[in-house]
Amino acid sequence: MIVYKGFSKDLTARMGKGKFQFKMHETVEEKEAKCANTGFHCTEEPLDVLSYYNGKEDRYCIVRAEGDIHEDACGSRISCTKITLLKYYLVV
């Protein structure tokens, strides 16, 4: 599924275990997906990323979420076990 993810300017994202470093076009995997706990978090709606990353230096990407997908009805947030950063997008 194609979704959206926010990052700090260096393409790191906060996780329950600390920061995770992402790279464009690289696919990474986690063992489990549970919103607000484990997995890679992203949103089904592009502007919803602003709830999590909204600094002037933050970055936003269109990503492919795969594997196990967990939804918790908190906006359009999801968590997945497999993610690939496809391309940057601009939020204005």
Side-chain angles (χ1 to χ4, degrees):
M1 95 191 289
I2 300 299
V3 292
Y4 309 90
K5 180 157 183 60
F7 305 88
S8 297
K9 67 180 179 178
D10 60 356
L11 285 183
T12 58
R14 300 177 297 271
M15 294 183 69
K17 303 170 198 162
K19 285 186 175 181
F20 188 89
Q21 179 69 59
F22 290 87
K23 294 180 183 173
M24 289 302 294
H25 309 291
E26 181 177 87
T27 300
V28 291
E29 295 186 53
E30 279 280 301
K31 292 180 182 179
E32 184 180 23
K34 184 174 182 187
C35 285
N37 192 359
T38 61
F40 301 108
H41 292 78
C42 35
T43 63
E44 294 181 272
E45 297 296 327
L47 294 179
D48 284 354
V49 298
L50 297 175
S51 297
Y52 308 99
Y53 290 89
N54 59 14
K56 67 179 182 178
E57 294 186 339
D58 288 342
R59 305 290 182 257
Y60 309 95
C61 288
I62 298 170
V63 302
R64 180 181 303 115
E66 300 176 285
D68 291 333
I69 307 260
H70 180 255
E71 299 182 58
D72 69 352
C74 182
S76 69
R77 175 177 74 178
I78 66 166
S79 179
C80 63
T81 56
K82 186 175 179 180
I83 194 168
T84 307
L85 280 61
L86 301 175
K87 75 183 225 184
Y88 287 109
Y89 77 97
L90 178 64
V91 175
V92 283

